[in-house]
Amino acid sequence: MNSATRWESLYEDLRSRLERQELKAGDRLPSERELMAQTGLSRNTVRAAVSRLEHEGLIEDLGGSRGRVVSQRMRISFDMSKFELGAYTDDPANGKDQWLAGVEAAGWTGRQIVVDVTELPAPEQVADFLQLDAPGTPAVRRRRLRLVSKPGEGIPERVAMIADTWTPPDIAYKLIDGRAPLMNPGDTTLPGGIYYALGFRQVRFIDNIEVRMPTAEEADLMSLSPGTAVGQHARIGIDEAGRRVRVLIHIWAGDRQVITYDLPVPERRLPTNGDAQ
């Protein structure tokens, strides 16, 4: 039996134990030394099997004496079919936007952090989304980190999503009562949403969804396990004049977030004998 078969066999055995929940979320995985004693396999073979589990996000290394533990699985549903559509449900009185309200309604504890609001050269994809003159054209990025937890179930707080809103500067610096709400470094909610309050009524959205590997910055911000892919959802808001007034780009950990859509099917009228053929 070659070494590849041996590590794969141990990997499959450990993985099946996780699936049967013989090892539950938060449980400590036997150490490499313990697995060597149990299986008679070499350290390199054991390490290859354990590394595969870690690469898949099934276990995580807490470091030091805490060792490796079974990962807490976070499956957070985000309903994009309702987000920002119809009656906008930002709640200024309680300082909650639609994402936070939806997360709490699903039983999670949510929190948002505005990391920064900065004018930057627009990356190529952002310039394309906003139909700017060219990549590098200035745009304002408002970055938020969206964190969730379930303290009652022992699920610690983690960054579930990075939310970057990119806006042309003439809109981003627009004032309401002497201040530019889109440049506010704190979390901001206004009746109907910020863009509506600024006079930009978005009447059409274009969604762009892709799956990719994270950048080093994204992996660090979300504490991703090696090999974890991210999903990216970009929603482009278009106003009544046809202008693309902003693009909101959500980047989420592939093992923590589920994006859902619930879309009606338009009624289809069947042809009758009187219709032209």
Side-chain angles (χ1 to χ4, degrees):
M1 182 181 292
N2 60 41
S3 60
T5 302
R6 288 175 177 172
W7 79 255
E8 288 173 348
S9 178
L10 176 57
Y11 158 76
E12 292 292 347
D13 177 63
L14 291 172
R15 200 178 201 287
S16 66
R17 291 174 66 185
L18 297 177
E19 291 174 349
R20 294 194 302 268
Q21 293 196 339
E22 293 177 13
L23 291 169
K24 298 182 175 60
D27 285 352
R28 180 180 172 275
L29 195 76
S31 69
E32 291 181 7
R33 186 182 299 275
E34 289 168 335
L35 288 172
M36 290 166 58
Q38 293 170 13
T39 63
L41 297 173
S42 70
R43 180 178 293 276
N44 286 341
T45 301
V46 167
R47 184 165 294 171
V50 171
S51 295
R52 176 68 175 269
L53 294 173
E54 192 172 351
H55 188 79
E56 293 180 356
L58 298 175
I59 63 173
E60 54 187 310
D61 189 352
L62 300 182
S65 61
R66 294 181 296 175
R68 296 180 175 92
V69 299
V70 180
S71 298
Q72 297 276 7
R73 303 296 287 174
M74 302 175 71
R75 304 301 286 172
I76 308 146
S77 181
F78 187 24
D79 189 348
M80 291 302 301
S81 57
K82 298 177 182 177
F83 188 69
E84 299 186 339
L85 299 178
Y88 202 92
T89 56
D90 265 6
D91 183 356
N94 294 312
K96 295 180 182 180
D97 68 2
Q98 279 187 298
W99 176 83
L100 185 55
V103 163
E104 292 183 351
W108 293 87
T109 298
R111 186 167 68 96
Q112 297 191 99
I113 303 171
V114 178
V115 177
D116 62 34
V117 185
T118 313
E119 184 174 317
L120 299 167
E124 181 177 1
Q125 189 180 51
V126 171
D128 181 59
F129 286 151
L130 292 177
Q131 294 184 339
L132 301 177
D133 292 337
T137 300
V140 171
R141 185 192 73 182
R142 181 182 179 85
R143 166 160 287 182
R144 287 166 290 172
L145 299 183
R146 291 174 162 169
L147 304 94
V148 297
S149 63
K150 278 190 178 179
E153 298 181 18
I155 300 179
E157 185 177 71
R158 291 187 177 181
V159 177
M161 183 181 287
I162 301 168
D164 287 343
T165 302
W166 290 86
T167 311
D170 66 300
I171 298 176
Y173 292 112
K174 193 174 176 64
L175 303 179
I176 295 178
D177 297 329
R179 64 185 182 94
L182 284 171
M183 301 303 298
N184 181 12
D187 207 8
T188 302
T189 54
L190 290 170
I194 296 177
Y195 291 87
Y196 183 86
L198 288 171
F200 298 93
R201 180 172 175 262
Q202 297 171 76
V203 297
R204 181 180 165 215
F205 294 113
I206 297 175
D207 282 1
N208 180 287
I209 301 172
E210 62 183 275
V211 177
R212 57 176 174 79
M213 295 308 295
T215 65
E217 181 184 27
E218 292 163 354
D220 182 59
L221 285 172
M222 291 188 281
S223 300
L224 300 180
S225 299
T228 302
V230 296
Q232 176 179 295
H233 173 278
R235 174 160 286 180
I236 304 161
I238 303 171
D239 72 1
E240 294 168 300
R243 183 182 181 186
R244 300 186 175 201
V245 298
R246 69 97 170 94
V247 58
L248 173 55
I249 301 177
H250 293 106
I251 302 158
W252 71 91
D255 61 347
R256 299 176 200 169
Q257 190 82 45
V258 178
I259 302 299
T260 63
Y261 283 86
D262 182 357
L263 304 176
V265 176
E267 183 178 353
R268 180 181 179 185
R269 186 177 71 86
L270 296 176
T272 65
N273 292 335
D275 289 333
Q277 298 298 315

